[in-house]
Amino acid sequence: LDLYDENYHRPPITSTGLHALFTGCTELQTLSVNIHDEIKLMPSSFFRLSSLTDANLNFGLSDFPDEFGGLKSLKKLTLEEMYIGNLSESFGLLTALTELNFSTCKELYDLPDSIGDLCSLKKLTIFHAESLEVLPDQLGRLHNLEEVQFLFNESLCQLPLPFFRLPKLRILNLWELGDLPELEGDVSNLVALETLSIDKCRFTSPPASLCKLPNLRCLKVTDCMALNHLPRSIGSLPSLQRLELSNLRNVKRLPGTISKLSSLRSFSLKRCNGITTLPASLFQNCGLLTDIEFDWPSSCVDGKQAGKLSPAEAFLSSLCRMSSLAVLALSGFPRISTLSQQIGNLSQLKQLKLSSWPNLAGLPDSMSKLTSLESLVISLCPAFKDKAAAILELPNVRVSLSCNHWEPEEEEWGSEDEEGEEEDGLM
């Protein structure tokens, strides 16, 4: 049953109306209520829906009565835009629940201790609960929990220590937790963790135990403006396949140990313009790497000495020795006028994107050797405008050309040389 209201001008739906509707639907299994009326009290007939397994409730409920615990068949529950401040202890009686989602419940300030009794729970999402400051220690009893999303909870100031002992947690997404200064628990105890995403958090340093996660496959750290370094021990993650770093303006350098990530398949560095130097052999031992997205940091030293390649040229040259590359996106190389002839060595390359290269004037003849190339995108490369005819020599390639005016990114912008790293405070 789907009650979705797009009509603001019809007579309001009342608790009495819902009561009559639920009374005639005793075998109902799936219910979605998305109405604009404020139903402060749930009608009693709702709690007699003994077959209900999936409920998505979006209206102005202000009370969560004890009777909710009687919905023993409920497996998925979403509470959205409710006015509830806390939940009854009977909430823990929903032992069949596998997915629980609190969305935009702005007045929710407390979760009951009985939440630890939800023994079947596999996925927990708390989105925009702006009054919620702490979570109960009993979260650590959810031993079947596999995925947690804490999103846009600006008042949340602490995650309970037992939370970091969840044995089956595979996915943890932390997004815009404004008052959470750091992760205090031992992250390494999350032995099943495969994906960790930290976005728009105020951490100044990553948790010391981050690099002891044996099964971590995907690590995303984005828009963390206060973060001032990445751990040197990041190279100790044996299973890491995807590393995504974006808009970390206070990070000054990348740890050279990235080159030790032998399982790495995808690397992305975007808008990290505070970086001043790069390791000489960033991907030296990353033989499985297939996807690279790389924005050259605007603060990165790129001076050229007589008889030597500039740092940017050396970096591009090193990429051309990575025969496993299938996707390559490069941006922000202001002093480079052409790609190296060595790019013809990338026999597996399928997608190539070049953007924000103000002096890119052409492509090397060795591009004709890229027999696997399927897509070529060139954008914001104004010097290339008169060279467009040259790419017609790649007849089997989908070409997108947009050579507009290029401007450097504003500072507000907000897929191996370790020598000197200790001076930057790297772990």
Side-chain angles (χ1 to χ4, degrees):
L1 177 63
D2 190 354
L3 300 178
Y4 181 75
D5 171 35
E6 293 182 343
N7 183 4
Y8 288 84
H9 303 292
R10 50 108 184 105
I13 295 177
T14 64
S15 293
T16 302
L18 286 179
H19 175 73
L21 181 62
F22 294 150
T23 299
C25 300
T26 55
E27 300 300 318
L28 190 66
Q29 295 183 350
T30 302
L31 173 65
S32 180
V33 182
N34 187 345
I35 56 180
H36 302 291
D37 301 312
E38 185 174 316
I39 309 293
K40 293 185 177 181
L41 297 176
M42 184 65 78
S44 60
S45 57
F46 171 79
F47 304 108
R48 293 194 288 271
L49 299 176
S50 58
S51 299
L52 190 65
T53 61
D54 188 343
N56 186 330
L57 307 178
N58 182 349
F59 55 93
L61 187 69
S62 59
D63 181 51
F64 195 93
D66 290 340
E67 288 83 355
F68 253 101
L71 299 173
K72 302 293 187 179
S73 299
L74 200 60
K75 294 183 178 181
K76 297 181 180 180
L77 175 62
T78 296
L79 302 177
E80 186 171 359
E81 296 189 6
M82 300 287 190
Y83 297 120
I84 51 177
N86 58 0
L87 303 174
S88 166
E89 285 293 333
S90 69
F91 191 74
L93 298 176
L94 301 175
T95 54
L97 206 62
T98 60
E99 295 187 19
L100 175 59
N101 180 6
F102 299 99
S103 179
T104 322
C105 297
K106 297 183 179 181
E107 296 185 18
L108 182 67
Y109 64 86
D110 185 41
L111 295 179
D113 290 346
S114 65
I115 196 172
D117 296 332
L118 302 179
C119 55
S120 300
L121 196 65
K122 293 184 177 181
K123 182 177 180 180
L124 172 63
T125 300
I126 303 178
F127 172 76
H128 205 179
E130 60 184 34
S131 299
L132 191 63
E133 297 183 1
V134 296
L135 298 172
D137 287 349
Q138 284 72 16
L139 283 181
R141 291 165 45 202
L142 299 174
H143 291 163
N144 288 309
L145 199 59
E146 297 179 358
E147 181 175 351
V148 171
Q149 311 271 354
F150 293 146
L151 313 172
F152 199 49
N153 302 302
E154 292 190 323
S155 297
L156 191 63
C157 59
Q158 184 179 2
L159 297 181
L161 294 181
F163 173 81
F164 295 98
R165 294 193 290 269
L166 293 172
K168 295 184 180 180
L169 189 65
R170 297 186 302 106
I171 300 173
L172 177 58
N173 188 355
L174 307 176
W175 183 68
E176 200 154 341
L177 307 182
D179 286 341
L180 188 66
E182 60 182 342
L183 295 180
E184 298 179 351
D186 188 351
V187 178
S188 66
N189 289 326
L190 299 174
V191 293
L193 196 65
E194 297 178 359
T195 298
L196 175 59
S197 180
I198 303 174
D199 187 2
K200 296 182 180 177
C201 293
R202 298 182 182 179
F203 308 152
T204 57
S205 61
S209 56
L210 170 66
C211 298
K212 297 179 182 180
L213 294 169
N215 294 302
L216 192 66
R217 296 183 180 183
C218 178
L219 175 60
K220 301 180 183 179
V221 186
T222 59
D223 296 305
C224 295
M225 301 303 184
L227 192 70
N228 55 39
H229 72 277
L230 297 171
R232 188 173 64 179
S233 55
I234 196 171
S236 301
L237 293 168
S239 302
L240 195 66
Q241 297 180 8
R242 181 178 180 185
L243 178 58
E244 182 177 325
L245 308 171
S246 178
N247 207 14
L248 309 177
R249 62 176 60 179
N250 283 318
V251 172
K252 302 301 181 185
R253 65 185 302 157
L254 294 178
T257 54
I258 288 177
S259 68
K260 298 180 180 180
L261 297 172
S262 58
S263 298
L264 196 64
R265 287 172 168 80
S266 176
F267 178 83
S268 176
L269 182 78
K270 297 185 294 184
R271 305 195 307 276
C272 295
N273 289 323
I275 294 175
T276 57
T277 58
L278 292 175
S281 302
L282 185 58
F283 305 120
Q284 185 175 13
N285 300 310
C286 303
L288 300 179
L289 197 56
T290 60
D291 295 20
I292 292 180
E293 183 177 14
F294 196 95
D295 292 355
W296 183 260
S298 60
S299 298
C300 200
V301 178
D302 193 27
K304 184 173 183 178
Q305 299 179 6
K308 294 184 178 181
L309 297 176
S310 70
E313 290 172 331
F315 174 75
L316 294 174
S317 179
S318 70
L319 296 183
C320 293
R321 295 191 292 271
M322 303 183 65
S323 58
S324 60
L325 278 182
V327 178
L328 181 58
L330 300 170
S331 176
F333 289 81
R335 299 187 182 185
I336 304 297
S337 60
T338 186
L339 292 175
S340 168
Q341 288 285 351
Q342 293 176 305
I343 196 171
N345 297 332
L346 302 180
S347 58
Q348 304 299 315
L349 194 64
K350 294 182 178 181
Q351 300 177 33
L352 176 61
K353 180 179 179 180
L354 309 174
S355 62
S356 301
W357 292 39
N359 292 312
L360 184 67
L363 299 175
D365 297 338
S366 61
M367 288 283 294
S368 60
K369 298 180 180 180
L370 300 179
T371 55
S372 299
L373 193 64
E374 300 173 355
S375 173
L376 173 63
V377 177
I378 300 177
S379 63
L380 299 177
C381 302
F384 193 82
K385 188 173 183 179
D386 297 331
K387 306 291 183 180
I391 60 178
L392 297 179
E393 298 178 5
L394 304 171
N396 297 320
V397 180
R398 297 192 307 272
V399 176
S400 176
L401 183 63
S402 177
C403 299
N404 299 320
H405 180 62
W406 177 84
E407 293 182 0
E409 286 186 0
E410 296 292 336
E411 181 61 26
E412 304 77 83
W413 244 113
S415 169
E416 182 132 296
D417 187 6
E418 298 179 22
E419 182 179 354
E421 286 182 345
E422 295 182 359
E423 295 178 4
D424 286 14
L426 299 178
M427 295 185 292

